[in-house]
Amino acid sequence: MLQVQEMEVARLRPWEKNPRLNDGAVDVVARSVRSFGFNVPILCDQNDTIIAGHTRWKAAQRIGMKTVPVIVLEMTETQRRAFAIADNKTAEIAEWDSPKLQEALEELLSEDVDLENLGFSDEDLRTLLSCASSNEDVLPPFQGEIRT
């Protein structure tokens, strides 16, 4: 069974050859962590090298967290590298069900949730919400700024 443990952020080491460029997502993930908590543990190997969660680790550093939830996996170097790539690539394959996404965003907006904490750009949100309103006349066209 997988065990989640708290680990010092400074103890974790990034994978030096990580092919994923994630610096652009750090601020968005940091906002998400502030809003919702650190709900997805970082995966690391038995040597404290990050397998999955580099962006969450950088976000934790950015907001000054001292510890983060971690799951330690016993893996060979080859397994760690292969899984790290597979974990990132398989996440790219999924697609959004646009009508369900629009409905969920409308509900959150009506409940006064700051949609910027979800990781969508202002432009994406305007497009999604204006499409929903023009197709279903549920909301007036989205105008103005997304709260930060």
Side-chain angles (χ1 to χ4, degrees):
M1 174 163 293
L2 297 176
Q3 302 267 337
V4 177
Q5 59 184 292
E6 286 292 315
M7 187 177 288
E8 290 182 17
V9 172
R11 180 173 157 187
L12 290 164
R13 297 176 322 162
W15 174 24
E16 295 290 327
K17 294 183 179 180
N18 182 11
R20 196 76 169 159
L21 302 174
N22 54 15
D23 287 344
V26 174
D27 286 338
V28 174
V29 172
R31 272 197 314 270
S32 177
V33 169
R34 279 191 195 112
S35 295
F36 310 116
F38 204 108
N39 297 316
V40 180
I42 291 172
L43 302 180
C44 72
D45 69 10
Q46 63 275 14
N47 300 313
D48 303 331
T49 300
I50 298 171
I51 299 169
H54 286 83
T55 308
R56 292 187 301 280
W57 175 71
K58 289 178 179 182
Q61 290 177 312
R62 179 138 323 147
I63 62 177
M65 294 179 71
K66 300 298 181 208
T67 64
V68 291
V70 173
I71 297 174
V72 179
L73 302 174
E74 295 285 329
M75 293 185 150
T76 66
E77 174 70 15
T78 301
Q79 289 171 323
R80 181 185 57 73
R81 289 190 323 249
F83 180 76
I85 292 170
D87 181 63
N88 281 293
K89 185 58 184 167
T90 55
E92 294 176 356
I93 297 169
E95 296 180 14
W96 291 105
D97 179 325
S98 293
K100 288 181 181 177
L101 175 59
Q102 290 168 349
E103 182 180 340
L105 291 173
E106 288 172 2
E107 289 171 359
L108 292 171
L109 186 63
S110 72
E111 295 167 6
D112 204 31
V113 171
D114 186 349
L115 300 183
E116 195 166 85
N117 292 333
L118 305 181
F120 291 96
S121 70
D122 289 354
E123 181 180 332
D124 288 341
L125 289 171
R126 283 187 187 92
T127 299
L128 286 164
L129 294 171
S130 67
C131 285
S133 66
S134 65
N135 291 340
E136 301 174 13
D137 290 330
V138 175
L139 293 174
F142 181 73
Q143 298 176 16
E145 296 297 313
I146 304 298
R147 291 183 311 273
T148 55

